[in-house]
Every structure is written in structure tokens, then in C-alpha cells.
Amino acid sequence: VVTLDSRMIRRQLLAGLAVASGAMHPLGAFAADEAFAAGAGRLLAGLRAALSHVKPSAAALVPPMSARALAPVPATLPVVSQLDTLVAQSPAASRDFMRSLRSLSPHLRWRQSYRAPQVSDHFLQNYGWIELIGAQGLWHDPTVSIGVLLLGPDTHYPEHYHPAVERYIPLSGEAEWFDQDHGWRRVP
């Protein structure tokens, strides 16, 4: 688990972010698309299982299976094409989550916080994130944000700071993490 206000990440990474904690307040439901709702349920179950394996306290932040998800406005990014590779590289503990994420990815709202000329075109082609649980997530909760960050190969995620604490939990691929106390280290 890494806090980003004092750390940097590079290479291929898929990670969950937990910013705060609190109770779930689901506000809506997916459109009448039962297949999508079932896929969202598998995504939620996979997220809970993956977090339980690596960070049990974070798994408690995942809403119950009865929670209804908000309908997303789909948007994709070039880095989403990396999901096939990341699914193939995922360990057993996160594989169901990764498969569900790949299956639903065309229907999800992938975003970027950075823009040119702030970062390079290479970075923008290999970076994106989605909020699964949070104020603008599929499952609404104004007190926590849990999402997925995708970084393609050889992509340096810039050091940054904001008031919310970020914790990154790799779910697939491998990354080199920088820690001021330990320097660079490879994390599966």
C-alpha cells in the first residue's frame, strides 16, 4: 500500500484507491439492462474478493451485493486496450475482478485528470482511471472513493499531492514504486 503524496509509480499497474471511509448510500440503478446489472454485480463481488485477499480492511468499504449502481455515461480511453494483457497477468485473487472489469469496460466511464501539455502524449495514451465507489462512482458514497488506475508499459505516473490520502493496491501487472525510505522497488 503506497501513499502518493510521497511516492511515485511507473510501469504497468492496475490499482484500487481508497480515499476515506464511510457508509454506502446507493442512489440509483443501472438502466433496465439486466446483463449489465449482472456484470456490475460480478464486478462488485470480484472487487470485494480481491481486496479481501490483499487488504481486508478495504474490503469492508465495498457495498453489499444488494446495492444498486448508478447508470454510467460510457467513455473509453486508449489504455483500456491493455486490459486483455492485465487479465492474463492477474493473480488468482484478482482474476475474477479483472475479467469483470474487462467485460464491462466498454460501458464504463474511463477518465483522465491530466491534459497536454501538462503531460506527454505517451502518458495520455497509457493512463486512465475509473471511480467504482464514490461521489461520482457506479456505487454512490460521498465519503469514500475506490477506483481503478490503469497505466500502460513504461509509463511514469507523476508525483502529486492533494488533501485526500491515496492508497494503491496492485491487482495485475508489475510496477516499480518509489518510497522515500526505501527507494525504487519492484512490486508484483
Side-chain angles (χ1 to χ4, degrees):
V1 177
V2 176
T3 56
L4 263 210
D5 53 326
S6 62
R7 320 222 193 240
M8 294 179 284
I9 304 166
R10 68 178 165 189
R11 285 215 69 218
Q12 198 166 63
L13 168 72
L14 188 62
L17 342 159
V19 177
S21 63
M24 261 319 113
H25 302 289
L27 294 182
F30 284 120
D33 185 340
E34 291 180 29
F36 190 75
R42 286 189 299 275
L43 184 68
L44 199 60
L47 176 62
R48 183 178 291 105
L51 290 176
S52 292
H53 183 72
V54 295
K55 185 80 173 151
S57 61
L61 300 173
V62 177
M65 292 303 295
S66 60
R68 296 183 303 169
L70 299 172
V73 175
T76 194
L77 295 168
V79 71
V80 173
S81 68
Q82 297 287 331
L83 280 171
D84 286 337
T85 301
L86 290 167
V87 167
Q89 294 175 350
S90 61
S94 61
R95 192 162 298 128
D96 287 343
F97 173 74
M98 295 300 299
R99 286 178 179 150
S100 296
L101 183 66
R102 178 185 59 192
S103 174
L104 288 178
S105 66
H107 308 285
L108 301 176
R109 184 174 175 226
W110 292 93
R111 299 186 262 180
Q112 294 181 325
S113 302
Y114 296 98
R115 304 281 182 260
Q118 184 181 21
V119 293
S120 70
D121 186 53
H122 170 81
F123 180 83
L124 292 174
Q125 295 294 308
N126 287 281
Y127 154 78
W129 59 273
I130 182 171
E131 185 175 35
L132 298 175
I133 302 166
Q136 296 179 29
L138 296 174
W139 292 274
H140 180 78
D141 185 334
T143 64
V144 67
S145 178
I146 297 176
V148 175
L149 170 69
L150 293 179
L151 292 177
D154 302 314
T155 302
H156 177 81
Y157 192 65
E159 185 173 10
H160 65 281
Y161 174 81
H162 46 74
V165 174
E166 290 182 315
R167 303 211 188 288
Y168 287 74
I169 303 166
L171 299 175
S172 182
E174 66 178 27
E176 292 176 351
W177 301 67
F178 181 81
D179 175 317
Q180 291 177 347
D181 298 329
H182 305 101
W184 286 102
R185 60 190 168 95
R186 188 170 300 277
V187 179

